[in-house]
């Protein structure tokens, strides 16, 4: 535990010292909230616009932090030779990877607190009633996208393409899943595609818990879909993840 705690502190220092990375991972969803919250008002789909927008961007924040953050960071560190050097130290590999995951969890939780504060204070959003269920959903979302982040890092071959590949997956998924705009007017085929994506199920869970006061166990289907996606990503990582730079 002491090694894990020490590595986690180190990961946090590295994260916040990288201003570009901190902006992309931590501030990007917050900036979206400020911009879109200034555009949408009134009610959307029977909910206050600010509440619906906050739910969508919380889901996007989880995916952006755990999936994009982990995948990009790990690929860059692998291709720079850092992961190879870490493997030659007494630090266990699982400790390093767990510290990286927990560091992203800390970033997301801080991000969520800021977004809730802005939503309530600036855009008059309501606070959640089911706090424990909301926290459980957010942790499930981070775990799911962390699994996909590890899987993505195992598949992406170069540091130069990491950001492009991740955003090619993340941004269309966020659009289709309703992170930025409601999906009720989407074509049927696009809504059907969204129904199989993990971010759509995370946003649906967040909406149910945050807006409808539903406990997490009332939506076992969405929980199962998220768990399946996370497990699939972890399975890919267990078979393909490497610590040495890839041959080009």
């Amino acid at each position: 535990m002491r090694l894990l705690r020490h590595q986690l502190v180190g990961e946090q220092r590295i994260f916040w010292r990288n201003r570009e990375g901190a902006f992309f991972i931590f501030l990007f969803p917050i900036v979206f909230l400020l911009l879109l919250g200034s555009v949408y008002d009134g009610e959307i789909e029977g909910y206050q616009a600010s509440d619906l927008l906050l739910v969508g961007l919380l889901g996007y924040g989880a995916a952006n932090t755990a999936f994009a953050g982990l995948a990009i960071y790990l690929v860059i560190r692998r291709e720079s030779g850092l992961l190879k050097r870490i493997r030659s130290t007494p630090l266990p590999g699982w400790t390093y990877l767990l510290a990286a995951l927990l560091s992203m969890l800390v970033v997301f939780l801080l991000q969520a607190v800021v977004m809730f504060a802005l939503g309530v204070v600036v855009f008059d959003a309501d606070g959640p009633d089911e706090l424990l269920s909301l926290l459980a959903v957010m942790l499930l979302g981070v775990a799911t996208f962390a699994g996909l982040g590890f899987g993505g890092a195992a598949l992406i071959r170069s540091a130069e393409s990491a950001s492009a590949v991740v955003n090619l997956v993340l941004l269309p998924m966020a659009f289709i899943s309703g992170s930025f705009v409601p999906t009720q007017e989407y074509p049927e085929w696009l809504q059907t595609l969204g129904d199989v994506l993990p971010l759509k199920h995370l946003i649906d869970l967040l909406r149910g818990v945050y807006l409808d006061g539903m406990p997490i166990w009332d939506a076992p289907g969405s929980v199962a879909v998220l768990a399946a996606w996370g497990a699939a990503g972890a399975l890919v990582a267990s078979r393909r993840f490497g610590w040495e730079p890839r041959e080009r």
Side-chain angles (χ1 to χ4, degrees):
M1 287 299 295
R2 186 172 62 180
L3 277 176
L4 177 61
R5 184 170 60 251
H6 181 271
Q7 185 62 31
L8 175 59
V9 171
E11 289 292 323
Q12 280 289 289
R13 287 174 178 169
I14 293 171
F15 177 85
W16 295 110
R17 286 173 181 171
N18 183 347
R19 296 179 181 178
E20 294 81 4
F23 175 81
F24 175 71
I25 301 299
F26 180 75
L27 286 179
F28 215 37
I30 296 172
V31 170
F32 271 132
L33 176 63
L34 291 172
L35 293 176
L36 296 177
S38 302
V39 174
Y40 292 103
D41 57 10
E43 290 192 353
I44 300 175
E45 298 182 355
Y47 299 102
Q48 186 172 318
S50 57
D51 288 320
L52 199 64
L53 180 61
L54 182 56
V55 164
L57 289 174
L58 279 172
Y60 171 73
N64 187 56
T65 304
F67 170 61
L70 275 176
I72 293 173
Y73 274 45
L74 289 175
V75 170
I76 290 175
R77 293 176 184 184
R78 184 192 69 212
E79 295 307 304
S80 67
L82 178 61
L83 294 189
K84 181 180 179 180
R85 291 195 294 272
I86 287 173
R87 288 291 281 173
S88 65
T89 70
L91 181 69
W94 70 268
T95 301
Y96 177 81
L97 295 178
L98 181 58
L101 168 57
L102 291 177
S103 179
M104 290 303 174
L105 175 60
V106 170
V107 171
F108 172 66
L109 292 178
L110 290 174
Q111 181 187 88
V113 169
V114 173
M115 291 174 70
F116 274 119
L118 288 174
V120 172
V121 174
V122 179
F123 300 113
D124 199 27
D126 297 322
D129 294 325
E130 295 284 344
L131 287 175
L132 290 180
S133 284
L134 180 63
L135 180 60
V137 172
M138 291 194 297
L139 291 176
L140 175 61
V142 170
T144 297
F145 285 102
L148 293 171
F150 285 123
L155 296 177
I156 298 172
R157 296 193 59 84
S158 69
E160 292 80 5
S161 64
S163 181
V165 171
V166 164
N167 281 295
L168 184 62
V169 173
L170 178 60
L171 291 178
M173 178 171 61
F175 176 80
I176 294 171
S177 300
S179 289
F180 309 131
V181 293
T183 61
Q184 61 181 354
E185 301 298 330
Y186 284 6
E188 185 176 349
W189 68 269
L190 205 55
Q191 295 187 41
T192 301
L193 176 60
D195 288 339
V196 303
L197 297 176
L199 185 51
K200 178 65 164 58
H201 288 272
L202 176 58
I203 291 173
D204 286 347
L205 273 176
L206 288 168
R207 179 184 296 189
V209 171
Y210 179 67
L211 301 181
D212 299 328
M214 175 192 75
I216 186 175
W217 53 80
D218 278 2
S222 291
V223 171
V225 170
L226 287 171
W229 274 99
L235 179 62
V236 171
S238 69
R239 296 185 175 184
R240 299 287 302 274
F241 187 83
W243 297 81
E244 297 188 2
R246 300 280 175 86
E247 295 181 0
R248 298 189 181 132

